[in-house]
Amino acid sequence: MATPTGTVRMSAFWAPDGRALADFYAAALGWEVTAEHKDDDGNSLATLISDGQATYVFYTARNFRAPNWPADELPFHLDLAFDDVEAAERRLTELGATKPAHQPGGGHWTVLLDPSGQPFCLSATPRTA
């Protein structure tokens, strides 16, 4: 019998306002909001963004608390690659990201905090030979 294989259907993130964080990452990545699920009162519960291949879902969590980074270890974070990292950093801060003082990348990557306070990294798009 063959070993079953799987695929990652989507990655999920929690935030105090899932829709706002979905809008941030959709704008950051040039993706589209593809679905929004609401509760019985019309409040956003989950918002999905996609580029047609990968999908992220952002949940609204009433008791969400951002990690106290770098003191707290992170179970998960995003690494985003851009051709022009400096331009991407400027654009992402205009969209609501902030740049913490602690920058452990030694010039290889830049850490930003998304609008919910969760760290993510920026680096240059890898060049192929």
Side-chain angles (χ1 to χ4, degrees):
M1 178 179 272
T3 302
T5 59
T7 59
V8 175
R9 182 169 173 232
M10 66 182 73
S11 297
F13 302 86
W14 281 257
D17 183 339
R19 175 61 198 237
L21 196 57
D23 288 340
F24 170 80
Y25 279 106
L29 297 168
W31 292 15
E32 298 291 326
V33 170
T34 57
E36 183 173 27
H37 303 283
K38 297 184 178 192
D39 65 16
D40 293 338
D41 296 323
N43 300 308
S44 180
L45 291 175
T47 305
L48 285 74
I49 68 169
S50 180
D51 67 349
Q53 301 216 341
T55 300
Y56 294 154
V57 59
F58 298 87
Y59 291 99
T60 296
R62 285 181 289 238
N63 296 319
F64 175 82
R65 193 171 303 174
N68 179 22
W69 184 83
D72 293 344
E73 292 182 349
L74 301 177
F76 183 84
H77 74 276
L78 291 174
D79 287 323
L80 307 180
F82 292 91
D83 290 337
D84 185 338
V85 175
E86 290 178 11
E89 181 181 331
R90 282 191 303 275
R91 181 161 184 274
L92 293 169
T93 56
E94 289 170 1
L95 291 170
T98 57
K99 186 175 182 179
H102 181 63
Q103 292 293 321
H108 298 287
W109 66 83
T110 301
V111 177
L112 296 180
L113 304 177
D114 70 23
S116 73
Q118 297 181 81
F120 66 99
C121 295
L122 302 179
S123 63
T125 303
R127 304 283 182 224
T128 57

